Amino acid sequence: MKTLSLLRHAKSSWEDPAQRDFDRPLNTRGRRAARTIGEWMAREGLAFDAVLASPARRVQETLDEVAAGYGGPLAGTTGGVQSDRRVYMASAACLFALLHETDDRIGHLLLVGHNPGLEDLLLQATSHSDTPLRRAAYEKYPTATFASLEFATGHWAAVDEGQAHLSRFIRPRDLDPALGPES
């Protein structure tokens, strides 16, 4: 079995309207949400063989805050943490292609990136399903939300649409109501 966890970057700052999208940092609320997700991941005992992430500043800062909450490195020695420009603003099709390139020694991959690609990947991978978790994901995939997909295969090259079971969908507001939608 292969497990793919998805993490959308935390809420970013729009204070500088002239700043390139790629260079936008996290805002204070985003830092808090990312750290909260990291603390939850540690409590759940989640372990990742590798992390594949967008190199965008808000993703890298999300990873830093999640790792701080987690209490250490997010990935084992199998794959470590890799940034790949192709993850930045990637479509679901591009993300599936990246998954197909993943080394089969990696059992649990954490993919950290952006919407709409992550949400589309999740919905396409679970297209056969109509569970409460999938309905929540279909409704909205907010910033700093974590999801886990399980594929009944031993090869990343075989993961495809309609083959995954959504086992986790955790929004920051599920852990701390103060991190819910702003009024």
Side-chain angles (χ1 to χ4, degrees), residues 39-58:
E39 292 166 354
W40 171 82
M41 288 168 38
R43 285 192 307 273
E44 290 292 304
L46 295 176
F48 310 100
D49 298 314
V51 177
L52 180 62
S54 162
R57 180 176 176 185
R58 62 191 178 274

Side-chain angles (χ1 to χ4, degrees), residues 56-96:
R57 180 176 176 185
R58 62 191 178 274
V59 170
Q60 296 300 309
E61 289 183 2
T62 296
L63 280 169
D64 291 344
E65 292 297 328
V66 168
Y70 189 73
L74 292 175
T77 57
T78 305
V81 178
Q82 297 178 6
S83 291
D84 190 319
R85 181 76 181 206
R86 295 175 294 174
V87 178
Y88 177 67
M89 306 305 275
S91 67
C94 180
L95 294 173
F96 271 115

Side-chain angles (χ1 to χ4, degrees), residues 8-9 89-90 113-120 140-142:
R8 184 175 174 201
H9 67 78
M89 306 305 275
H114 312 266
N115 259 4
L118 289 182
E119 181 176 350
D120 290 346
K140 186 170 184 185
Y141 195 124

Side-chain angles (χ1 to χ4, degrees), residues 72-139:
L74 292 175
T77 57
T78 305
V81 178
Q82 297 178 6
S83 291
D84 190 319
R85 181 76 181 206
R86 295 175 294 174
V87 178
Y88 177 67
M89 306 305 275
S91 67
C94 180
L95 294 173
F96 271 115
L98 287 169
L99 294 176
H100 294 162
E101 295 175 9
T102 303
D103 188 322
D104 282 336
R105 291 177 295 168
I106 295 168
H108 192 172
L109 175 67
L110 175 61
L111 178 60
V112 189
H114 312 266
N115 259 4
L118 289 182
E119 181 176 350
D120 290 346
L121 172 67
L122 182 152
L123 295 175
Q124 290 174 23
T126 60
S127 61
H128 68 287
S129 176
D130 185 29
T131 65
L133 286 181
R134 188 176 189 281
R135 287 192 294 274
Y138 180 80
E139 183 179 313

Side-chain angles (χ1 to χ4, degrees), residues 138-149:
Y138 180 80
E139 183 179 313
K140 186 170 184 185
Y141 195 124
T143 53
T145 294
F146 178 93
S148 284
L149 303 169

